[in-house]
């Protein structure tokens, strides 16, 4: 495999017209949640290299910020701007509104006033005239779906956003929102360890809505690069508290890891690649957005788009997962 500007990853369509690389890059970890934020120089270099590898879909959010040990602050949207400014028009950026963090507690605010403030702030930080895909980061129980969708319709008319989506959407909310302003994509947690949202697939197909899978590698566990000796910084790395990374969990997940290893050997691939290929081959409208700071992992993930599993093989994996016991996994409406 030759890596460079001539490499083109396969693409997929989200919704009616958003053509993106079949695997996107989740950028949160450069600034937030997975240890101390990277240096700006290293993060920008990594994002640029991802674009060089064929990634054209980059995911961020206004809430993705972190503080380094020297007191400097990493603002993810600004990193994206600096890294991708030379590629304006050639890549797509998704960002999110409606969430701020009080420590590690998520506070939702999708009021029209806050959405208006957020979109202007994100446009400025990203250095763009229009946001390609603008997600409601979490459902705000205090604001009706119709009201949020109405604001999105106005922002589209004004040219400030091209499309919108919902993260952690359920069927009822999605249908109500879509009836007011068509939704391009949902961005929900999805992996071999978290399959709850498969029940949404018929609805997505009915409404022609794409599915962007965050945490497709179960926050990294499905890479098979971790064991019960791994230690994470409790102050800056959310994995320290995630149930799948507790010492007792590794033994509980051996059947799953063995399934990945066996399948990976068959395809001369890695467990991470099989994890991604499984969902890519399940539905043509699924786009996973694994996050990583390591360029070798970006390369590894990108190659997954070239792995073809038959429908029978996907069904066999599903059946194995259905009859398998694994540890608890971090999920729901928390990071």
């Amino acid at each position: 495999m030759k890596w460079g500007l001539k490499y083109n990853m396969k693409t997929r369509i989200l919704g009616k017209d958003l053509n993106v690389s079949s695997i996107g890059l989740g950028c949160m970890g450069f600034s937030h949640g997975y240890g101390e934020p990277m240096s700006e120089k290293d993060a920008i270099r990594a994002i640029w290299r991802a674009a060089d590898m064929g990634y054209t879909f980059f995911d961020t959010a206004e809430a993705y910020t972190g503080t380094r040990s020297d007191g400097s602050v990493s603002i993810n949207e600004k990193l994206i701007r600096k890294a991708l400014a030379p590629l304006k028009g050639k890549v797509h950026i998704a960002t999110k509104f409606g969430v701020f963090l009080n420590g590690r507690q998520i506070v939702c605010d999708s009021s029209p006033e806050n959405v208006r403030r957020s979109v202007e702030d994100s446009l400025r930080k990203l250095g763009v005239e229009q946001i390609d895909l603008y997600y409601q980061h979490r459902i705000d129980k205090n604001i009706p779906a119709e009201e949020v969708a109405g604001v999105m319709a106005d922002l589209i008319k004004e040219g400030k956003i091209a499309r919108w989506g919902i993260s952690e959407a359920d069927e009822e909310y999605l249908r109500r929102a879509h009836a007011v302003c068509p939704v391009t994509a949902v961005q929900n947690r999805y992996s071999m360890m978290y399959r709850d949202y498969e029940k949404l697939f018929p609805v997505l197909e009915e409404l022609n809505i794409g599915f962007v899978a965050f945490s497709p590698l179960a926050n990294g566990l499905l890479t098979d690069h971790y064991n019960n000796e791994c230690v994470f910084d409790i102050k800056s790395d959310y994995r320290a508290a995630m149930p799948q990374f507790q010492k007792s969990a590794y033994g509980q997940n051996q059947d799953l890891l063995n399934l990945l290893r066996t399948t990976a050997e068959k395809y001369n691939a890695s467990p991470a690649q099989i994890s991604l290929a499984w969902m890519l081959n399940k539905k043509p409208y699924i786009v996973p957005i694994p996050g990583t700071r390591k360029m070798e992992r970006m390369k590894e993930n990108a190659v997954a788009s070239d792995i073809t599993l038959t429908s029978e093989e996907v069904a066999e994996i599903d059946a194995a997962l259905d009859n398998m016991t694994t540890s608890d996994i971090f999920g729901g409406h928390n990071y």
Side-chain angles (χ1 to χ4, degrees):
M1 181 67 68
K2 184 177 181 180
W3 295 100
L5 290 171
K6 293 183 179 180
Y7 178 74
N8 292 310
M9 200 189 306
K10 293 178 180 178
T11 62
R12 296 194 159 195
I13 304 293
L14 294 173
K16 293 189 299 183
D17 63 356
L18 184 55
N19 192 318
V20 298
S21 53
S22 55
I23 296 174
L25 183 66
C27 297
M28 183 183 83
F30 294 124
S31 303
H32 177 83
Y34 287 85
E36 182 176 328
M38 291 180 72
S39 72
E40 183 176 280
K41 180 180 178 181
D42 289 343
I44 290 172
R45 182 186 297 116
I47 295 166
W48 188 88
R49 286 296 295 139
D52 189 32
M53 294 171 195
Y55 289 83
T56 66
F57 189 39
F58 296 83
D59 183 85
T60 183
E62 66 172 345
Y64 296 163
T65 64
T67 303
R68 303 183 185 92
S69 57
D70 63 4
S72 61
V73 177
S74 176
I75 299 174
N76 206 254
E77 288 180 320
K78 288 186 176 181
L79 287 177
I80 298 299
R81 173 183 183 169
K82 292 180 180 180
L84 297 180
L87 294 172
K88 184 179 277 189
K90 297 180 180 178
V91 297
H92 295 289
I93 299 170
T95 192
K96 311 180 195 72
F97 69 87
V99 155
F100 66 91
L101 300 177
N102 181 10
R104 294 191 179 182
Q105 181 67 38
I106 288 179
V107 180
C108 297
D109 184 355
S110 287
S111 63
E113 298 78 15
N114 189 57
V115 173
R116 287 282 179 182
R117 178 203 61 77
S118 293
V119 74
E120 297 296 342
D121 199 38
S122 289
L123 286 167
R124 176 179 55 81
K125 289 176 181 175
L126 291 170
V128 297
E129 293 75 40
Q130 184 181 68
I131 294 168
D132 296 311
L133 180 58
Y134 199 42
Y135 292 110
Q136 183 181 16
H137 203 155
R138 291 291 185 271
I139 292 173
D140 183 345
K141 296 180 180 179
N142 297 314
I143 309 295
E146 294 81 1
E147 187 170 355
V148 176
V151 177
M152 295 299 106
D154 290 341
L155 294 179
I156 290 172
K157 289 177 183 177
E158 294 164 20
K160 293 182 178 179
I161 68 173
R163 308 161 192 85
W164 83 293
I166 308 167
S167 184
E168 295 283 59
D170 59 36
E171 180 179 352
E172 179 190 4
Y173 191 91
L174 179 60
R175 286 189 180 278
R176 289 167 55 196
H178 185 79
V180 175
C181 182
V183 174
T184 291
V186 299
Q187 185 190 116
N188 287 6
R189 185 183 304 275
Y190 185 52
S191 72
M192 286 186 173
M193 292 186 72
Y194 195 97
R195 299 170 59 201
D196 291 16
Y197 288 116
E198 288 183 354
K199 61 193 175 188
L200 267 185
F201 290 171
V203 180
L204 302 179
E205 291 162 15
E206 174 193 340
L207 302 178
N208 191 24
I209 296 172
F211 188 100
V212 177
F214 77 86
S215 297
L217 300 175
N219 305 99
L221 184 74
L222 301 182
T223 64
D224 200 21
H225 287 295
Y226 299 94
N227 58 44
N228 59 8
E229 300 299 319
C230 292
V231 177
F232 302 100
D233 183 354
I234 190 67
K235 293 182 179 179
S236 62
D237 196 321
Y238 289 172
R239 288 171 294 185
M242 290 181 182
Q244 70 265 38
F245 289 104
Q246 303 309 303
K247 290 187 180 299
S248 61
Y250 289 95
Q252 297 170 4
N253 292 319
Q254 283 308 301
D255 287 346
L256 174 55
L257 293 175
N258 286 336
L259 172 65
L260 282 171
R261 292 164 188 156
T262 300
T263 311
E265 184 176 357
K266 176 181 177 181
Y267 282 89
N268 192 27
S270 70
Q273 289 169 337
I274 295 302
S275 298
L276 297 172
W278 163 77
M279 64 177 68
L280 287 170
N281 285 274
K282 184 185 287 281
K283 298 291 182 181
Y285 50 81
I286 295 177
V287 176
I289 52 167
T292 182
R293 297 180 173 193
K294 298 178 180 178
M295 285 180 265
E296 61 269 27
R297 296 284 84 80
M298 291 177 190
K299 293 180 182 180
E300 179 183 342
N301 293 341
V303 174
S305 67
D306 293 326
I307 297 174
T308 300
L309 303 177
T310 67
S311 57
E312 290 78 15
E313 288 171 319
V314 171
E316 287 175 6
I317 292 172
D318 284 350
L321 295 173
D322 288 339
N323 293 283
M324 186 180 293
T325 299
T326 59
S327 73
D328 289 338
I329 181 173
F330 196 57
H333 295 276
N334 297 301
Y335 281 91

